[in-house]
Amino acid sequence: MKVFLSKNGLLIGLIAIFIGIFAIGGFYSRYVADQHAVLVLKAQQEQQEARQEATRVATYLALFSEATRAEKYIATTVTKTYNLSGNRGVFSPTIIDSYHIYNDDMEVGVVYVVGSKGHNEGLNIAYAIDFATDACIGVVVVAQAETPAIYGTLDAAWFNQFDNILLDASSIEIDAVAEATESSKGFEIGLLYAREVYAVESDFEIPANGISLVSMTYNYDPTSFATAVFIANVTHGSEGMTASVFLSRTYDYIGMADDSAALTIDEQTALKTLAAASGLVSNKSWFVSYNADTRVLVMNAKGFKATPIVVTITLNTTLDGIEGIPIITSTETYDNGDYDGGPAPEVEYNLLNQYLADGNFVVDGVADATITSNAMKQLIYLLDHFIITLTGDE
Amino acid sequence: MARFANGKAPFLRKADEKTYGTQVIMRDFLIGLLPLIGFAWYKNGIKVYIEGNATFLEMFYPIIFIILGGIISMIIEGLFFIITDKEIRSFKSLMNRLSLSYAMIPGILLAMILPLYTPIWVLIFGCIMATLVAKLLFGGFGYNIFNPALIGYAAIAFTLMGVINRAGGALNGSEVLVDAIAGATPLSTLSTTNVLSYQTLVAPYGSLWNFFIGTIPGALAETSALACIISFVWLSARKVIKWFVPVIYIGTVFILSWLIGIISGQTGIWFPTYSILSGGLMFGAIFMATEPVTTPKNPLGKMVFALFLGVFTVLFRFVGQYPEGVATSIIFMNIFSMPIDKWTGVIRTEGVTKKTIIKIVILVILIIAIAAYALFKASSIYTATIELPLIMRGWN
């Protein structure tokens, strides 16, 4: 072995080095090439995105009569929620891109690319707003994932309605295409949201919503009164449309009580404020449930304590009166212990017995138990009118 | 009576051996390569790493690649000598033999003219072709006919360029991110267009200043004209090369390119400047066209050789639209080194006589004919961007 190595060691050594360079060099080359390939791919993607961006910006500039360049910037974040069509819930659009539009050095407008939702999310629309007129002067659909056959019904004539939409109109509605209501609604949501952002970033003011509260009543319908405590009659929109609206105990919008179109979020917010301040109804007492088979009616009344007073009443077979003794569950302490009489539900039964005695919902309150008395008065009022609606008597 | 040596170059007086021996020549030659190697490392390694487009290991790839080229060619020669020369049995005797054979040079030069992302195994293949085939099989150092590095390069270019391109090609990590680059290298862009326009040929890569500095895509170490000029000054001062060979070669290309530009309608000086600054012309003219073994020995022969190189480079680049004009023309002219040497040797010693006039005429006619053919064909291929005069602009 020693002789062999002494004769051929150099040769073997050189061959071993050569093979080592071949093998290690191969791995190293492959590593370097792979790293480079990733970089090349990234560069190609960036270049492609840059080209697409340049093409998009060119289409945005074309919407303006005189625009020479666009400058990308980050728009102010605005959080707004809008109702989707077809009771599909709500959606909060976002700004994907935003551009200042210039004619040489003079800024002439802005373009907001809004991520909206039609039938599907991913409906990205660019809205061009002209500073001179505070109007939307055109749209460009950047991306969409709508059903092709349905989205295809939105033709050029439909898109023309975006060519001059004044943003200072009290109400903005986009004409929907019958077969593409959800997609159409997506465009409307995007435009309203663009208007919101525009108002935040400029001195443009969105006009106040045209909604007014005409009247409010209690909801006596057992199928809905558990959640929709009130019915508000309103007029709204630029044309003063009338509508009936379900409201919750806290005056939140539940839904429409008639066939009218749903209120916008802004109108809902405005209505809550109006309803809460109107004093037309009281939310001290409300219906919980009614079982038509057993004629058992459950009601709550908010007295002094946080835990409401629960009153369970069984109506008689003719539904014009009460059968048996109502069951009252109460943890009231009657004006924080000022009442000298017995523990709850003494006051509650006092008022209820007054009603049962003469059938008159106007009952006398109990001294030193004012809050509880007022709650029970409201409950008795509702009970009386519920019975009336069941019997149809006035 | 004058005596003329007729063997293999280089010829040196024994008295000059210590200050001017072949060892000194090769040392100076390697020093001359340093500006290009340094620039190659900076442009394709350090700069790309600083810009964040390469990892730390990738930063060293250019320098490792060049050094590996030299090592691989040394190993190939070492194996050859061990197998063929029974007297070489020790490491010392082997290293002695390798130093006399200048084994590293072909590998280093080959690595410097290859694209950055050449796989190592392709480099090994090229070194085998350069060292074993082009040099050793012809008899070793001093006996080879063709420039070994260029044979290795040609073998790779004709067979494995697709492999190199798939591995990454010539664009380094920062160059791939530049949107404006039209082709992988300026000459590959020229080979795909018939319009001699500054906007097409130069602007995508910056300006002619970029060509001069070398911050353009290309082979690993041949893009910088500035580094080449620094090397040229050093090598000429150290008398490693004859200064007039690169000057005549590059000058011929410059003049012929200018004429092609004029004929095609492009009268700007930028076009001939672009021609001499792009590709491996500077590198080839300084390091390959002056190689003492494969080029003519006498000064007149070198001049004629350089003239032919210039003419053929223009022919291959502009008429053949082949990016590898320099390498191809040098390999082609290597075939004629000996006849040119003999003819010009006779002309030089005997002067213009009845015997030598025919040789002179043939050489002149050949040069002029090839140049004329190149100009004629190029004029039908290329056009310049034509600007409408002001008076005509409103007519359409």
Side-chain angles (χ1 to χ4, degrees):
Chain A
M1 186 67 177
K2 227 177 170 180
V3 171
F4 176 79
L5 281 174
S6 68
K7 275 188 178 175
N8 302 298
L10 194 56
L11 178 66
I12 294 169
L14 279 178
I15 292 173
I17 294 172
F18 194 79
I19 292 171
I21 291 174
F22 183 82
I24 297 171
F27 284 118
Y28 185 63
S29 295
R30 173 64 67 88
Y31 162 78
V32 167
D34 287 344
Q35 295 284 105
H36 185 71
V38 168
L39 201 61
V40 168
L41 193 61
K42 178 184 156 197
Q44 286 171 343
Q45 286 169 347
E46 285 175 4
Q47 286 170 5
Q48 192 180 13
E49 283 168 11
R51 278 193 286 272
Q52 289 170 348
E53 171 75 0
T55 305
R56 280 196 295 269
V57 169
T59 57
Y60 302 156
L61 292 176
L63 295 172
F64 293 82
S65 58
E66 285 177 349
T68 55
R69 63 186 177 92
E71 201 175 278
K72 200 167 184 174
Y73 77 103
I74 298 175
T76 308
T77 303
V78 173
T79 305
K80 281 292 269 192
T81 309
Y82 300 88
N83 290 327
L84 295 168
S85 64
N87 291 321
R88 291 182 298 137
V90 296
F91 179 74
S92 295
T94 54
I95 293 287
I96 294 171
D97 282 322
S98 45
Y99 302 84
H100 293 299
I101 305 297
Y102 294 90
N103 179 13
D104 293 328
D105 290 329
M106 188 174 75
E107 191 172 357
V108 296
V110 67
V111 168
Y112 296 116
V113 181
V114 179
S116 185
K117 179 177 177 179
H119 179 67
N120 300 312
E121 287 194 41
L123 180 59
N124 299 342
I125 308 150
Y127 297 89
I129 298 174
D130 189 335
F131 285 172
T133 55
D134 285 334
C136 172
I137 57 173
V139 297
V140 173
V141 179
V142 176
Q144 54 90 7
E146 304 296 278
T147 308
I150 294 173
Y151 181 79
T153 59
L154 303 178
D155 56 11
W158 183 84
F159 279 100
N160 286 341
Q161 68 179 306
F162 291 96
D163 286 353
N164 192 26
I165 297 180
L166 295 173
L167 299 181
D168 59 1
S170 59
S171 171
I172 293 178
E173 288 179 13
I174 301 301
D175 291 335
V177 174
E179 299 86 10
T181 52
E182 293 174 357
S183 299
S184 306
K185 186 66 177 176
F187 280 83
E188 180 180 309
I189 288 171
L191 178 60
L192 292 172
Y193 183 71
R195 183 174 73 158
E196 289 291 335
V197 178
Y198 181 56
V200 168
E201 293 192 331
S202 67
D203 55 6
F204 171 76
E205 284 186 20
I206 300 174
N209 283 290
I211 185 167
S212 58
L213 179 65
V214 176
S215 63
M216 282 186 73
T217 58
Y218 298 98
N219 181 18
Y220 297 108
D221 182 356
T223 62
S224 60
F225 63 29
T227 52
V229 175
F230 307 115
I231 297 176
N233 296 309
V234 301
T235 56
H236 69 112
S238 57
E239 295 174 2
M241 294 176 292
T242 58
S244 292
V245 183
F246 282 131
L247 298 179
S248 70
R249 183 171 159 261
T250 53
Y251 310 106
D252 291 308
Y253 173 84
I254 299 294
M256 302 308 290
D258 57 13
D259 294 331
S260 306
L263 300 185
T264 64
I265 296 290
D266 292 330
E267 288 172 336
Q268 294 170 27
T269 307
L271 178 57
K272 177 174 178 172
T273 306
L274 290 171
S278 68
L280 295 174
V281 292
S282 169
N283 61 358
K284 286 189 173 52
S285 180
W286 61 96
F287 298 103
V288 176
S289 66
Y290 175 67
N291 188 322
D293 294 327
T294 59
R295 306 185 307 281
V296 172
L297 173 67
V298 179
M299 298 177 69
N300 280 355
K302 172 68 174 64
F304 184 78
K305 300 289 272 190
T307 307
I309 303 163
V310 182
V311 180
T312 306
I313 301 159
T314 305
L315 302 181
N316 59 24
T317 55
T318 52
L319 302 180
D320 60 358
I322 292 172
E323 181 179 281
I325 300 171
I327 301 167
I328 300 176
T329 308
S330 171
T331 59
E332 293 288 288
T333 54
Y334 305 137
D335 295 354
N336 208 23
D338 290 338
Y339 179 67
D340 291 331
E346 184 176 270
V347 169
E348 292 85 332
Y349 271 118
N350 183 319
L351 270 72
L352 199 55
N353 287 334
Q354 288 181 53
Y355 171 69
L356 293 173
D358 58 12
N360 188 345
F361 66 84
V362 179
V363 295
D364 295 326
V366 174
D368 295 327
T370 311
I371 297 173
T372 307
S373 297
N374 288 338
M376 286 304 297
K377 283 181 182 180
Q378 175 63 20
L379 184 145
I380 291 167
Y381 174 87
L382 289 178
L383 171 61
D384 182 70
H385 282 73
F386 178 68
I387 292 172
I388 291 170
T389 57
L390 284 180
T391 58
D393 291 340
E394 289 294 323
Chain B
M1 185 178 172
R3 290 188 304 162
F4 295 95
N6 218 6
K8 285 290 176 183
F11 302 108
L12 297 158
R13 296 193 310 168
K14 200 165 176 65
D16 290 334
E17 210 170 77
K18 283 185 183 171
T19 54
Y20 204 64
T22 52
Q23 300 273 7
V24 175
I25 292 175
M26 283 303 144
R27 182 204 68 191
D28 290 340
F29 183 81
L30 287 171
I31 292 173
L33 289 176
L34 287 179
L36 287 143
I37 294 173
F39 179 80
W41 189 15
Y42 170 74
K43 179 200 163 212
N44 296 301
I46 298 171
K47 181 170 174 282
V48 180
Y49 173 71
I50 290 171
E51 288 170 356
N53 296 318
T55 61
F56 185 71
L57 277 181
E58 264 193 286
M59 179 177 71
F60 292 99
Y61 191 75
I63 200 76
I64 289 174
F65 190 79
I66 293 173
I67 293 172
L68 262 183
I71 293 172
I72 291 168
S73 60
M74 273 186 74
I75 292 174
I76 292 169
E77 279 209 40
L79 286 169
F80 181 84
F81 290 142
I82 289 173
I83 293 169
T84 57
D85 190 343
K86 301 296 176 200
E87 290 178 13
I88 293 178
R89 276 296 165 261
S90 68
F91 183 72
K92 191 177 173 185
S93 62
L94 177 64
M95 289 311 294
N96 201 38
R97 182 68 189 272
L98 288 174
S99 66
L100 290 172
S101 178
Y102 310 103
M104 289 184 74
I105 303 296
I108 288 176
L109 287 176
L110 175 62
M112 289 171 72
I113 60 176
L114 285 173
L116 173 63
Y117 287 99
T118 302
I120 301 290
W121 68 268
V122 172
L123 176 64
I124 292 174
F125 169 75
C127 286
I128 291 172
M129 296 302 291
T131 306
L132 184 62
V133 174
K135 181 179 170 185
L136 296 172
L137 291 183
F138 279 88
F141 178 71
Y143 294 91
N144 49 295
I145 298 174
F146 299 102
N147 187 299
L150 288 180
I151 292 295
Y153 178 79
I156 291 173
F158 291 141
T159 59
L160 297 171
M161 199 49 82
V163 173
I164 296 172
N165 289 334
R166 283 192 296 277
L171 298 180
N172 65 38
S174 292
E175 287 161 345
V176 294
L177 300 176
V178 178
D179 186 37
I181 291 180
T185 63
L187 283 185
S188 63
T189 303
L190 178 67
S191 69
T192 61
T193 181
N194 293 339
V195 177
L196 303 179
S197 153
Y198 187 92
Q199 290 304 317
T200 311
L201 297 177
V202 178
Y205 306 97
S207 67
L208 286 173
W209 183 247
N210 295 97
F211 282 73
F212 181 72
I213 298 293
T215 51
I216 56 171
L220 191 56
E222 66 176 18
T223 59
S224 175
L226 175 62
C228 287
I229 290 171
I230 293 171
S231 300
F232 168 71
V233 170
W234 164 258
L235 293 172
S236 299
R238 296 293 300 167
K239 295 194 171 68
V240 177
I241 65 172
K242 296 292 182 203
W243 64 270
F244 52 82
V245 173
V247 170
I248 291 173
Y249 183 4
I250 294 169
T252 306
V253 174
F254 184 91
I255 292 168
L256 289 177
S257 302
W258 198 0
L259 289 172
I260 288 174
I262 291 171
I263 293 170
S264 306
Q266 181 53 262
T267 56
I269 196 75
W270 70 266
F271 181 64
T273 308
Y274 154 84
S275 294
I276 65 171
L277 294 179
S278 55
L281 179 63
M282 289 262 178
F283 186 90
I286 294 166
F287 293 98
M288 308 286 193
T290 56
E291 208 258 332
V293 177
T294 57
T295 60
K297 312 295 179 284
N298 70 80
L300 181 61
K302 289 181 189 296
M303 289 183 197
V304 170
F305 185 74
L307 277 171
F308 271 106
L309 281 179
V311 165
F312 276 115
T313 298
V314 168
L315 181 71
F316 294 145
R317 262 193 194 179
F318 292 100
V319 178
Q321 289 191 297
Y322 184 56
E324 315 299 340
V326 172
T328 313
S329 55
I330 293 176
I331 292 172
F332 183 69
M333 285 309 298
N334 283 158
I335 300 171
F336 301 101
S337 287
M338 212 177 292
I340 290 174
D341 219 6
K342 279 190 175 345
W343 278 24
T344 53
V346 172
I347 294 169
R348 197 164 159 258
T349 52
E350 296 187 11
V352 182
T353 65
K354 281 183 189 173
K355 277 168 86 174
T356 60
I357 193 72
I358 295 171
K359 294 184 171 67
I360 294 170
V361 167
I362 290 173
L363 286 172
V364 169
I365 287 174
L366 274 174
I367 291 172
I368 291 174
I370 297 167
Y373 177 76
L375 291 175
F376 174 73
K377 289 300 285 185
S379 67
S380 65
I381 295 172
Y382 295 100
T383 58
T385 306
I386 299 173
E387 292 261 65
L388 287 175
L390 275 169
I391 195 171
M392 291 177 70
R393 278 184 191 159
W395 286 12
N396 57 351

